[in-house]
Amino acid sequence: MNHGTALKNIFVIGLDEANLRTLRATPHADEYRFHPLLSIEELQSGEVSVPDLIDKATRILDAFDGSIDAIVGYWDFPVSALVPILGRRYGTRSTSLESVVKCEHKYWARLEQEKVVEEHPRFGQVDLSTDDPAVPEGMSFPMWVKPALSYSSELAFGVKDQQEFREAVAEIREGVSRVGRPFEYVLDRLDLPQEMAGVGGQVCLAEETLTGVQVAVEGYVHQGEVTVYGVLDSINYPGSSSFLRHQYPSALPEPVIRRLHDVSVRVMRQIGMDAATFSIEYFYDPQTEALNLLEINPRHSQSHAELFEYVDGVPNHHCMLSLALGRDPQLPYRQGSYEVAAKWYYRWFADGTVRRTPRAEDIERIEREIPGVRIDVVPDEGQRLSDTEQQDSYSYEIAHIFTGGDSEDDIRAKYDQCLAALGLEFADTAPGGRGRKNA
């Protein structure tokens, strides 16, 4: 179907090579021209300055000789906040800045959730100003402590006693400003409710530890209507809180899937999001049938794009682009080449130096030889793992391996084949490194 002769100019905040390939695989991509707006390094390295990012982006957009038809992004803060800020200035479609911040600020998100659902853990603020922080009233170990805002579970720690609690809070106190301080600039742009008065962005949150299987719900809100289009299982490394893989579609029973849909719809209506995608993470305990919401991401998960393409036939980037252009964001259903798909995280649980990585032509050869496979290697050859950014508190991501197949056994076999073929080598490996990776 032709939507017009003129190409639509779509500015992608933090456009990277891997996602450009995925964006070009969406329906009507031949009608779009994708433009990069700010680099990953500018957006995520060190302590970012939101005013500087807005200024840089504004200069680029003002100098553009053509129509600005959409401004989109698929990363967390500050990208998630920049989309509505720039959208308001340039008249492009996006959800409100307030709805984004309600999701990104973990404490505010909890306050909104408890107004409409019971499926969330006990939580409370932790005072970062004292050397002897107290556990929030009514909570007991084990628990998680985390900043109100962070990247990729950075500075999020599971603690089982008072000593670990103190150590984790001290580490959060030391690092919370990197993201928290820029976030306060965004908070200052909003008319905050009384319950958020004085809370700020440099906040530490304690939450009860959740048990069970972890799942992710993907959806969007279009003209006020909340739609869930997919549920994925998130499987951790044994004995670890770090993801081994995301698998689509979920193997959970249909009644549980319906509950996930219902809770997600109620929460997103409360948040007030519109014209945007979202991804919500949950824990489901099959023993007790307890369902608990972990966190809301006010964007679709770009890391799941290949999974939807393998199984449903179109990457979920399609929803983001369609909403930004005012089109129907509906995805096809089960029209892909495979029955099941997974994104695997090959991780290293100790520090070390990457001695050997595959060349680009080696990766291309592996992808040709093994159908339904895509590989992204994270660190560079010669890089120290503790120098890589955007890592969780317990491991280092070495490679992302996407596999599509006819069964779980099939995608497991493809993952093993890829690992063997990559030939990754490490030197100077030692326990510890950044954060609490020696835990």
Side-chain angles (χ1 to χ4, degrees), residues 168-354:
V169 172
E171 197 158 342
I172 291 169
R173 185 190 299 118
E174 187 72 22
V176 69
S177 65
R178 185 174 91 83
V179 181
R181 196 152 43 207
F183 194 53
E184 288 180 341
Y185 171 84
V186 176
L187 284 171
D188 289 343
R189 298 173 73 101
L190 300 175
D191 184 14
L192 297 173
Q194 185 58 39
E195 60 194 356
M196 283 294 291
V199 173
Q202 300 183 60
V203 182
C204 180
L205 192 64
E207 297 180 343
E208 68 180 350
T209 296
L210 301 176
T211 58
V213 296
Q214 194 167 345
V215 294
V217 171
E218 293 273 328
Y220 59 80
V221 190
H222 179 52
Q223 298 178 350
E225 188 72 26
V226 182
T227 298
V228 170
Y229 61 75
V231 179
L232 306 91
D233 294 329
S234 299
I235 295 104
N236 291 344
Y237 278 81
S240 168
S241 60
S242 299
F243 289 134
L244 169 62
R245 72 181 186 275
H246 300 298
Q247 186 167 312
Y248 179 65
S250 171
L252 287 174
E254 188 57 37
V256 180
I257 300 291
R258 286 198 297 269
R259 286 179 63 192
L260 288 163
H261 280 233
D262 175 63
V263 173
S264 300
V265 168
R266 282 187 281 152
V267 168
M268 297 317 295
R269 282 177 179 161
Q270 175 65 26
I271 293 294
M273 180 173 279
D274 198 11
T277 53
F278 63 84
S279 176
I280 309 179
E281 296 176 40
Y282 291 89
F283 273 92
Y284 172 69
D285 191 332
Q287 308 265 317
T288 63
E289 297 189 348
L291 185 66
N292 276 287
L293 193 157
L294 178 61
E295 65 180 25
I296 309 169
N297 299 304
R299 54 169 179 78
H300 76 290
S301 180
Q302 51 85 21
S303 66
H304 298 161
E306 287 81 4
L307 311 191
F308 286 99
E309 183 175 10
Y310 282 153
V311 175
D312 290 332
V314 170
N316 60 357
H317 285 30
H318 166 69
C319 298
M320 173 187 73
L321 297 173
S322 298
L323 289 163
L325 293 169
R327 298 175 177 173
D328 182 356
Q330 186 174 6
L331 281 170
Y333 184 76
R334 305 298 188 262
Q335 293 181 25
S337 303
Y338 301 100
E339 296 293 319
V340 62
K343 177 185 180 179
W344 301 81
Y345 296 81
Y346 178 52
R347 298 178 184 270
W348 207 252
F349 289 83
D351 198 6
T353 300
V354 184

